[in-house]
Amino acid sequence: MPKIDKELMAHWKVQSMTPEQEALAAAISPIDYAIYSNKVMTICEEGKETLVRLGATEALQAGDCIVGIYTPEGNMACASAGTYLHSATGVLPLKYTVKYFTNDPTVGIKDGDVFFCNEAILGGIHNPDNLIWIPVFHEGELVCFVLSASHVGDTGGTLPGGMIPSAKTRYEEGLKVPPIKVGENFRIKTDILNFFNNMVRDERGMSVDTAGKATACYKVRERILELIAEKGVAFAKGVFYKMMMGTIEEAKKRVEALLDGTYRCVIFYDNNGVDPCLVRIFCTMRKKGDSITFDFRGTSPNLPYATNAFPHIVRALFASITLSQYFFPDMPVGAGLLEPFDIVIPEGTCLNAPLESAISMSPSIATPPALAMQQCMNKAMFASPLKKCVSCPSGGSARFFGYGGLNQRGMMVAGPFPGSLNSAGGGANPDKDGVDSIGFSFVGATDSLDTEHGELQYPFLTLFRKIAKDQHGFGKYRGGSGVSYGFAIYGTKNFYIVPLGNSWVVPEDIGLFGGYAATVSPAIFIPDANVLGQIRASDMDLPTSCHEVLEQKSIKGNPVLEVQGGGHTLPEGAVFVITGVSGPGYGDVLERDPELVIKDLRADIISHWTAQNVYHVAYDQRTLQVDHEGTELLRAKERKNRIQRGVPLKEFEKEWLKKRPPEAALKNYGKWPDAG
Amino acid sequence: MAITVSVDVGGTFTDCSIIKDQTMLRGKAPSTPADFSEGVVNAIVETCKTATLDPKKVLNETDMFMYATTSATNMLVERKGKKIGFITTIGHEQFLYIGRSRQWADGLPLEQARDVINAERPKPIVPLDRIRSVNERIDSQGNVLIPLREDEVRVKIQELVDMGVEGIAVCLLWSCSNPVHERMIGDIARAAFPNVEISLSCEICPKWHEYPRANVTILTAYLGPGMRDHFGKVEKKLQSLGYRRPLFIVNNAGGIGGITHTQPSDTCRSGPVAGLLGSAILGETYGYKNIITTDMGGTSFDLGIILDGKTPFYVWRPVIDRWLTELSMLEVKILGAGGGSIAWINKAMGGRLECGPQSAGAVPGPACYDRGGEEATVTDADLVLGYINPDYFWGGRMKLNAKKAVEAIRKKVADPLKMDLYEAAMGIRKVIDAKMGNEIYKETVLRGYDPRNFVMFAFGGAGPTHCCGYNEYIGVVGCPKIVTFPASPEFCALGAGLIDASRIFEQSRRVELCHPVTRKYLSDPEEFNAVVRRLEAQARETTKEDGFDERSIVFTLELDMRFGVQVYLTRIVSPHMYLQNEEDARAVCEQFTEVYSKKYSRDSAQQEAGISIENFCLRALVRRAKPQIPRYKYLGENSEKALKGVRKVFWNSGFEETPVYAYERLVCGNVVKGSAIIESIDTTYAIPKRMKFTVDEFLNGVIEKF
């Protein structure tokens, strides 16, 4: 267990700036600021582009990375990020470095030093997140730090892929390195890199990615020194501080524009890492003036497996899902983004777990709180000048899979597969549908890669890749649909696949103002299938969707439905199907334009059942022509039915509060009903 | 020497250049979108007028007619292509719609690509109901798992034809590794429906990754007939006027080809690429090998890099309109910065002054155009500061309204930022110059090239007005020399006339050159050589069909390579076209490691992770004789004869009485020392203090420090 500093963990904000720092910022003229803040951002972008171009793992390619400049105190001045997740992850290890290594003669901080960390207690959101940083000195003065971070493929835990849902303690999750000096004179030490490589399954990915992160840091350092040569060290520092101050001011202004009040949202998470069960995430948002507090009292206790988080992880997810994409999409990545927000999470809950807890699935459990925070923000924004920012979050939860084993060329590969993760459906807006397969909710625009890319790298034959049907949240405007993938194992004898993520049996991507939640979808395994044998014998029509796999049963074998943690070692020819999450809907389904319903039917995104029973549209099933008058009649009837089904609140509560889920579902819930 | 005629067809004007003996003529005429051939002929006629030549005689003596146009992109943006269908592998009918997910952001500027709330997918070229799948499957090694059935193919093609399609694009999984199924579909369709355009991905773009491959295939089917019609009309019109050879189309990879060998997607950036290549060739004549080409117009700033006389950079993730491709496209960066760029206040950045990428365009244009524009633009700032003469804009053909420019800058920038009018105008000028300088910084310094070793070429209507400014913002130091050209607006057309005949032939194939576990180098080179042999045969045949001597082809083999499991590839020039033994394979690996280390860092080259080739790219080049550029006699430094007056111009420290010169009166050897303004019909040259403008022996203007 590394040295823990709870005070440091709590003080992640910029706090205050010294008069000297303020003076440096004030000395930058508006025109110089316009010119050189752009230049500094260009420098960060170059760093990130370098990292992406040099990197190996798909998560990095999907944007799970950042390259940023931090002040000597460890606050982020600016960065270029794929996901803003890491806007909150670099601060802790840097502050730790400054506090504990500056005066430690056995470590110290010198020009040319290279530091590393993948310990989530002190940085990153779980140990696949590897961070590298270097100090930048000018004539002996520490000017800033440069940090780069990305998600790597494997950590050497008890299961391949770095995310180990069944881990019960942190000691089953593989390599966990607290801040450590890994290089001097701008070179990573070979012995230390050998040690890291030795600890993980994907040695090639680890070495290529680590080298890429260090190179990105060196590049940014070089440019900062050029800037100093051009304009002087005080100027460079002044620009960094001014950028930080600029984002703080704007963030506070925007928060101030929201309607003061208390907003609430509850979301249920559906597994403990291994078994299906209910976990309660309860968020109360209090907004006053230019600050907001999110209070998570009423959230379930910490969980027995790896679906636990720490407060800084919740903060990171909030930054990546809500702030960067919906509230501050036009603002640069910087420490200021999070400045107006405080988060209260009681110790001992799954979001503020004991430090010994396994946490490699933290992104999964920290997503529902971020979704709840966004839904609270949506309500506050709706009644404010920021109404244009209201949007259901893109399929915020995630359904994907980890893999590990020898590929078709006999090379060891391990990691999370990006396909379904990076092709989630977008959330609906107050004025339009969500985009199908928009990307990864933590990032925005992400690359879910081609089928040919996957088949070249991994021992898969992709049977189908299709926009999922009836999966999105219905509504006046529907959510975007995710993508359904069907694979057969091909070219290897045994390959391990484990479903990861959430929304398998309980929907977490809830709708807004009457819109439906996105639908759930468990993973399907057919371990005893022999697809290749069937193909060779011309004994099948290839299935083109998960519905066909289950309903037409063209693949011989016994399907098994699984949720997170239900891993299988599959032989060649075995089949598995995973459907990525979709976006939630907005507004009442009865207000949806019938023509849009027909458009969805034509695109095979909804079924006739949905068109008729959810949207209540009358149409000719053969020609798909809408009968508008008939539709109005059906909808009027449904409105009447709704009124008939309705009961007064007290009456409803009387019945509702008698209900209780089965005990098995409540085993990790806490005290029913409030989880306290 | 024979005559070379070249034209660059733009949205507004068709520019023409005629190179005859030692003479280069230039001219232009309005473009005629209804029938581009009319504008082309008009431009030739206008150009011939400048030297009282007979256009028919010129065309009759013309050896090569080069044609650059971006009209394929326009046709695509306006969705004016043919009605087409698409055939793919069963189970993968929707991959065009999934579009690697990030399709919605492809081709958008960064700010819009981050705007998830307003994300929209581009309107599909092929609607879902015109997509058909066939029950077939080939694996990544090219093995046939499920054979394609002829009867099924016939049914699917018939269904599409019955829907009225005029073209069918076909992209099956792994057709780049084994084209047998695609070819079967092609044979059946072409035999049954000879009037339907059939576009096979294995023929158009045999590279891995089905989404970008399918996009190129679809663009070919969608735009092919229209573009062939366009080219055919031009060729026919030229031949009716006496031209006796084929029309040669400039392509994105920096070469030319006949109509039959040019796909529409090959031409989408042909104008800027022609400008870049023309710069490289002219640079050689002028004695410059490292050149930064800059073209600042009304709405955009184009930037290209020439290194050691070559154009080695290709676009990373090339996107045509909103469609990702994997074409080899020479890199010309296009930035939203020009005379029409709008100044605005960025509240998200604490009230930071910004310029562009939004542009006032030509209509309504900058406020000073007095056509209803109310935004403050760069041109307005240039006018307020005295750089532009309101009575001599476009040679006096357009009067500018200075009062409107003042109002716009005061209202949109000065008042909100609590600045003085001139401080605000100077701020706009500095911000736009810094933005362009920053882009040059990215493309040179950030790639490891020192701008001090480069010469800058500045063209475009606003280039000479701003080049000293953006040169200043490149970094610690800018380029020591800036060269401006009298033919600035027609530079791309001129460039097209100078291009060598060259084409690129590509094929994806993974060849493991250095094994990650054994660390051994490829010992059997046949795997490598077979691919190159195939590409070479293709290159020879195409070159011959285009009318060039295949014996004079110069080949260059480029390879896209990577370490271990990297996703992105790095392109190198192979030291060997064919491999003889393990030593040759080692040499290719060493070349890759060297290029990679130089580009990134020594630490980043991870040879122990293994090295593989992913794409082969063979460039076939037939050199053409270059024209002799006329040289002029030195007539002395004194430029007094060109002095036309004095006016107040706001330089860094405030307004100064500044001499104004007439460009047309300057002769070879004349020197104009800054601060000075030089006015020509096309543009205004701003020469700051401690800089001088010298007319060189080619009548180019050279700006440098003194």
Side-chain angles (χ1 to χ4, degrees), chain B residues 371-636:
Chain B
R371 291 173 178 163
E374 292 183 351
E375 301 292 345
T377 67
V378 172
T379 302
D380 292 311
D382 286 341
L383 178 60
V384 166
L385 295 171
Y387 291 96
I388 295 177
N389 178 354
D391 299 322
Y392 197 69
F393 192 69
W394 204 10
R397 278 171 284 181
M398 183 174 170
K399 301 286 178 198
L400 301 182
N401 186 333
K403 201 176 151 202
K404 295 273 184 185
V406 168
E407 274 171 19
I409 292 175
R410 212 184 278 286
K411 188 176 165 193
K412 300 286 181 173
V413 179
D415 291 350
L417 290 179
K418 298 183 177 62
M419 281 178 176
D420 163 58
L421 169 71
Y422 300 109
E423 191 189 355
M426 201 59 194
I428 294 170
R429 195 171 153 85
K430 282 185 173 181
V431 167
I432 200 74
D433 286 352
K435 190 172 176 179
M436 295 182 286
N438 197 31
E439 198 63 23
I440 301 170
Y441 169 79
K442 268 163 79 172
E443 298 307 312
T444 53
V445 178
L446 298 190
R447 290 183 180 209
Y449 302 110
D450 187 341
R452 285 175 294 190
N453 300 327
F454 285 75
V455 164
M456 178 186 287
F457 282 8
F459 33 90
T465 321
H466 284 265
C467 56
C468 292
Y470 52 74
N471 188 38
E472 198 182 311
Y473 285 107
I474 295 177
V476 180
V477 283
C479 299
K481 193 181 275 188
I482 303 170
V483 183
T484 60
F485 301 90
S488 176
E490 295 90 15
F491 201 87
C492 293
L494 172 64
L498 301 172
I499 291 175
D500 286 319
S502 93
R503 278 185 63 85
I504 276 183
F505 300 85
E506 296 180 271
Q507 170 76 54
S508 283
R509 182 74 70 228
R510 174 171 291 176
V511 176
E512 215 150 59
L513 278 188
C514 177
H515 195 275
V517 178
T518 63
R519 311 274 160 91
K520 283 188 175 168
Y521 293 97
L522 180 75
S523 55
D524 177 11
E526 185 47 29
E527 201 182 343
F528 179 104
N529 293 341
V531 180
V532 182
R533 242 190 334 265
R534 204 161 43 245
L535 293 176
E536 186 188 339
Q538 206 182 336
R540 287 191 183 281
E541 191 187 333
T542 308
T543 306
K544 208 171 156 183
E545 284 173 8
D546 276 346
F548 297 103
D549 182 359
E550 54 142 331
R551 289 166 302 180
S552 54
I553 299 177
V554 178
F555 287 108
T556 309
L557 180 65
E558 297 177 359
L559 302 168
D560 289 334
M561 299 176 69
R562 64 174 189 164
F563 287 113
V565 286
Q566 281 182 317
V567 174
Y568 288 104
L569 310 171
T570 300
R571 181 166 288 189
I572 66 153
V573 175
S574 173
H576 300 287
M577 185 155 150
Y578 289 98
L579 304 186
Q580 305 297 329
N581 48 39
E582 214 172 310
E583 274 312 301
D584 287 352
R586 179 200 292 270
V588 176
C589 288
E590 283 173 356
Q591 172 79 352
F592 169 61
T593 307
E594 193 188 324
V595 169
Y596 191 92
S597 303
K598 198 174 165 192
K599 196 168 180 184
Y600 300 109
S601 77
R602 55 187 173 173
D603 263 4
S604 61
Q606 297 285 313
Q607 190 142 356
E608 57 278 11
I611 298 176
S612 61
I613 297 168
E614 304 291 315
N615 294 316
F616 288 73
C617 173
L618 186 67
R619 185 182 279 276
L621 181 140
V622 178
R623 291 202 188 283
R624 296 172 53 228
K626 299 293 177 292
Q628 288 287 314
I629 310 288
R631 290 169 194 257
Y632 293 84
K633 198 177 157 192
Y634 177 77
L635 295 172

Side-chain angles (χ1 to χ4, degrees), chain B residues 166-179:
Chain B
E166 297 160 280
I168 298 174
V170 186
C171 179
L172 307 180
L173 289 182
W174 296 114
S175 63
C176 50
S177 294
N178 183 351

Side-chain angles (χ1 to χ4, degrees), chain A residues 266-268 278-282 296-302 346-350 660 666 668-676:
Chain A
V266 62
I267 291 181
F268 296 96
L278 281 177
V279 178
R280 186 179 195 243
I281 306 292
F282 191 78
F296 283 93
R297 277 176 283 196
T299 292
S300 293
N302 66 291
E347 281 191 22
T349 59
C350 56
R660 184 183 168 95
L666 294 177
N668 296 116
Y669 185 86
K671 195 177 161 192
W672 178 261
D674 295 329

Side-chain angles (χ1 to χ4, degrees), chain A residues 294-314:
Chain A
F294 293 104
D295 186 338
F296 283 93
R297 277 176 283 196
T299 292
S300 293
N302 66 291
L303 298 166
Y305 302 104
T307 38
N308 290 298
F310 303 129
H312 71 270
I313 299 173
V314 174

Side-chain angles (χ1 to χ4, degrees), chain A residues 37 42 84 452 455 467 490, chain B residues 94 114 137 139 352 438:
Chain A
S37 58
T42 302
Y84 279 35
E452 288 180 354
E455 293 190 357
I467 293 173
Y490 182 59
Chain B
Q94 293 180 340
R114 276 183 57 186
R137 195 63 155 89
D139 73 9
R352 186 170 80 175
N438 197 31

